[in-house]
Amino acid sequence: MENRYNLLDEQWIPVVGEGKVGLRRIFTDAGLTALGGNPIEKIAMFKLLLAIAQTACTPEDEDGWKALGCDGMRKAVLDYLDRHRDCFWLYGERPFLQMPEIQKANKQHYGALKMEVAVGNTTVVTQIQLETPLDDAEKALLLIVQMNFAFGGKKVDNSIVLSDGYEKSKTGKPGTSLGFMGFLHSFVMLPTLLESIYVNLFPKESILGFGGMFPAGVGTAPWKKMPAGEKDSVADMYKKSYMSRLISLNRFLYLSEDGAHYSEGLQLPDYAESYCDASIAVDFYAKPKPKVIWTNPERRPWRQLTALLAFLDGKNSSSFICYQLKAVFSSARLNAYPSFIIWSAGVKVSSNAGEQYLTGTDDFVESEIQFQDYFRCDSQNFYESLESAMAELERMNKVLYACVSSYYKNLKVDGKSFASNATSVFWQLCEHEFQHVVDICSGPDAQEGLQPLYRKFWSFVNRIYDESCSRDTARQMEAWAKNRPGIKNVNKEER
């Protein structure tokens, strides 16, 4: 087959403020700031960029990482891409991350592979859910997403097995980076895309230290050597490598003009077996089995910040750990940068009988929390201040819920939905002020500095209570006055 559409030069990667660019420009233009697309496309694409950088120039240790520098990484990657240009054809004899042998599988139209598209008898609510023809750029991006974030279900043709003696169930398993309900992924990001890739580039000693999950180290890039099937020597070694968590090969695909031949690919162990992507947070000590932080549109990532940064708490060794964040923070590699952000993203999904889909309450989630001059503060003091502030916000939330519930109880009305809506509004208002909380916790005298913010948050509580609880009649006025948040309610909640 004729080689065409080389991913180094074709414009297919969404970039903020630039439209679409090719891989070569990603590692050439130092002015590019961030990836575009929906949160899942951003995560999948960033993992691919990390996989390319790790393949081209994985340093031995932190000293090697510092000596390499961002510019050294850029030059090494460009040299690698030039030498391996033939590995990046989307179509041809060796199509990028595809399995020509899987052409025996049934062909699915591309809309069936996209999360947001309504297919079959699913009701179409908005225009974004309509299936539209894909160009080559969109097919390339969809291919990258399917490697890690494929939906579980019966859309895969698991009657096709490439490895002798290997068995597949009729229902395909969710992608490794998606999981049952949608993992929340977190990365440290810097002002430019090249810097973000560099700061998340790990040396061999760090990768081998990720809880012993990757005994094979970085591993071999799949565009250089794909496994022949679901279980062979290449696949077995690949599963033990860090590369398998950047490009998981969860689906074997072959792109055609009007659809994709599509079957379940490699299946990696999950967090319940003490294995996970470095970018998700897991509590491996939880009983009866490890716990993970899922994506939740009703509990935004900023509310999970203490769990994501639990590794900063030197007093508690059994808590959530996100190896991606810990490796960046603990190596002090951010010292050279006055500002950075923790970017968290994911998608919440629903599941029924093994079939995954998006419902009305499911959604993409994306959040940025900025840190200014973080390394001028003591990390333990910062974490304790942040934990204390979040505990205070949770206390206010409980007071608000209890007061609204009691108001409606006095009126002989079920107030659960009213109380739930009130606390939802409270968290939305707090989100706009949370950056100030982080800034204050990073500085001196955090507890004193937080007091004015606490007063503002308490004003939110009272305002939301007043908006949620009418006082038009004498009976309503009595219930409102009796349950309004104040010293009496706060003290009662504390007891």
Side-chain angles (χ1 to χ4, degrees):
M1 294 182 62
E2 178 187 0
N3 289 333
R4 66 180 182 89
Y5 204 88
N6 196 282
L7 300 177
L8 303 191
D9 309 313
E10 300 287 351
Q11 299 178 347
W12 65 283
I13 305 171
V15 171
V16 173
E18 295 289 333
K20 294 178 180 179
V21 304
L23 278 171
R24 188 185 300 279
R25 185 168 172 201
I26 290 286
F27 291 98
T28 302
D29 190 344
L32 301 180
T33 56
L35 294 170
N38 66 47
I40 294 305
E41 291 171 342
K42 291 180 184 180
I43 299 170
M45 196 65 235
F46 192 66
K47 282 175 173 283
L48 173 64
L49 298 178
L50 287 178
I52 293 172
Q54 293 283 177
T55 300
C57 53
T58 297
E60 291 291 331
D61 51 27
E62 281 297 322
D63 290 338
W65 177 86
K66 293 176 184 176
L68 177 67
C70 187
D71 193 53
M73 178 200 72
R74 180 185 65 81
K75 292 176 180 177
V77 171
L78 288 174
D79 177 66
Y80 176 85
L81 294 178
D82 287 339
R83 289 185 289 109
H84 295 86
R85 177 181 174 80
D86 285 343
C87 293
F88 292 89
W89 294 105
L90 185 62
Y91 307 105
E93 293 182 3
R94 293 178 56 203
F96 185 71
L97 299 184
Q98 297 172 60
M99 299 282 282
E101 297 82 2
I102 212 67
Q103 291 182 73
K104 295 176 289 185
N106 293 332
K107 184 167 58 178
Q108 279 283 3
H109 49 98
Y110 288 115
L113 276 61
K114 293 177 69 68
M115 294 181 178
E116 66 276 17
V117 172
V119 295
N121 60 357
T122 307
T123 302
V124 176
V125 179
T126 64
Q127 189 173 3
I128 196 174
Q129 294 176 287
L130 292 173
E131 182 179 2
T132 57
L134 302 186
D135 58 25
D136 289 330
E138 292 169 316
K139 291 176 185 177
L141 185 59
L142 181 62
L143 171 70
I144 303 305
V145 172
Q146 291 301 309
M147 293 298 101
N148 291 53
F149 289 94
F151 268 12
K154 298 181 177 64
K155 294 175 183 176
V156 295
D157 182 4
N158 277 355
S159 66
I160 304 303
V161 179
L162 300 182
S163 294
D164 293 338
Y166 187 83
E167 295 183 359
K168 298 180 182 179
S169 64
K170 292 183 178 181
T171 302
K173 296 180 180 178
T176 297
S177 298
L178 181 66
F180 178 61
M181 292 190 294
F183 296 125
L184 183 70
H185 295 259
S186 298
F187 298 88
V188 169
M189 294 295 187
L190 294 174
T192 70
L193 185 52
L194 272 175
E195 290 175 317
S196 296
I197 297 170
Y198 173 62
V199 82
N200 287 282
L201 178 75
F202 297 130
K204 293 178 182 178
E205 66 174 11
S206 295
I207 293 171
L208 293 173
F210 284 163
M213 295 189 298
F214 311 121
V218 177
T220 302
W223 55 82
K224 292 184 66 178
K225 189 175 182 62
M226 288 283 284
E230 298 84 358
K231 184 174 178 58
D232 61 12
S233 59
V234 175
D236 291 344
M237 183 59 68
Y238 189 73
K239 292 178 183 179
K240 299 175 183 178
S241 70
Y242 177 50
M243 190 65 59
S244 71
R245 297 290 169 166
L246 298 177
I247 304 174
S248 299
L249 301 179
N250 293 148
R251 294 293 183 265
F252 289 162
L253 284 101
Y254 184 76
L255 302 177
S256 66
E257 184 66 29
D258 56 348
H261 300 274
Y262 188 61
S263 184
E264 189 175 84
L266 304 187
Q267 293 305 309
L268 278 60
D270 66 5
Y271 71 96
E273 303 169 82
S274 298
Y275 291 88
C276 67
D277 286 16
S279 53
I280 70 174
V282 183
D283 181 358
F284 291 112
Y285 295 92
K287 301 298 182 183
K289 67 177 185 178
K291 292 182 179 179
V292 68
I293 296 181
W294 300 104
T295 302
N296 186 351
E298 296 182 0
R299 188 177 178 86
R300 302 280 294 174
W302 67 270
R303 292 176 60 190
Q304 310 272 22
L305 187 59
T306 52
L308 294 174
L309 297 180
F311 56 83
L312 295 176
D313 185 9
K315 300 177 181 178
N316 186 7
S317 59
S318 59
S319 57
F320 284 99
I321 181 168
C322 176
Y323 288 109
Q324 192 83 32
L325 298 182
K326 181 181 180 181
V328 175
F329 272 71
S330 62
S331 64
R333 53 173 64 190
L334 293 170
N335 274 324
Y337 301 97
S339 174
F340 64 92
I341 68 172
I342 290 181
W343 178 71
S344 299
V347 62
K348 180 182 180 295
V349 298
S350 296
S351 181
N352 183 24
E355 199 76 29
Q356 284 186 310
Y357 48 87
L358 296 179
T359 68
T361 58
D362 298 332
D363 202 356
F364 296 107
V365 170
E366 190 172 9
S367 174
E368 292 184 359
I369 301 170
Q370 188 170 41
F371 289 75
Q372 296 280 2
D373 297 324
Y374 166 78
F375 282 101
R376 293 185 182 180
C377 73
D378 180 87
S379 60
Q380 182 68 41
N381 290 338
F382 163 77
Y383 185 81
E384 290 177 354
S385 299
L386 181 65
E387 193 173 37
S388 174
M390 291 306 301
E392 183 66 12
L393 288 178
E394 291 288 353
R395 188 171 71 91
M396 296 178 191
N397 178 65
K398 290 180 180 178
V399 168
L400 176 61
Y401 187 94
C403 290
V404 174
S405 295
S406 296
Y407 167 86
Y408 283 98
K409 185 177 181 180
N410 289 162
L411 298 177
K412 310 299 182 184
V413 175
D414 185 359
K416 290 183 179 179
S417 61
F418 295 99
S420 179
N421 289 336
T423 57
S424 178
V425 174
F426 173 73
W427 289 121
Q428 290 176 33
L429 293 177
C430 289
E431 183 171 6
H432 294 291
E433 302 294 333
F434 185 68
Q435 185 62 59
H436 298 313
V437 173
V438 175
D439 294 341
I440 292 171
C441 290
S442 300
D445 302 321
Q447 293 306 316
E448 181 179 345
L450 287 170
Q451 295 308 312
L453 271 180
Y454 288 160
R455 288 192 288 272
K456 189 172 187 177
F457 292 144
W458 275 116
S459 72
F460 292 162
V461 171
N462 282 281
R463 191 174 92 196
I464 296 168
Y465 176 85
D466 291 345
E467 293 172 352
S468 303
C469 304
S470 301
R471 50 188 187 278
D472 299 326
T473 67
R475 186 178 172 210
Q476 289 175 340
M477 178 64 77
E478 181 181 6
W480 174 84
K482 180 180 179 181
N483 296 288
R484 193 170 194 269
I487 298 298
K488 178 181 178 181
N489 302 104
V490 174
N491 290 340
K492 180 180 179 181
E493 178 69 21
E494 287 179 337
R495 290 198 299 269

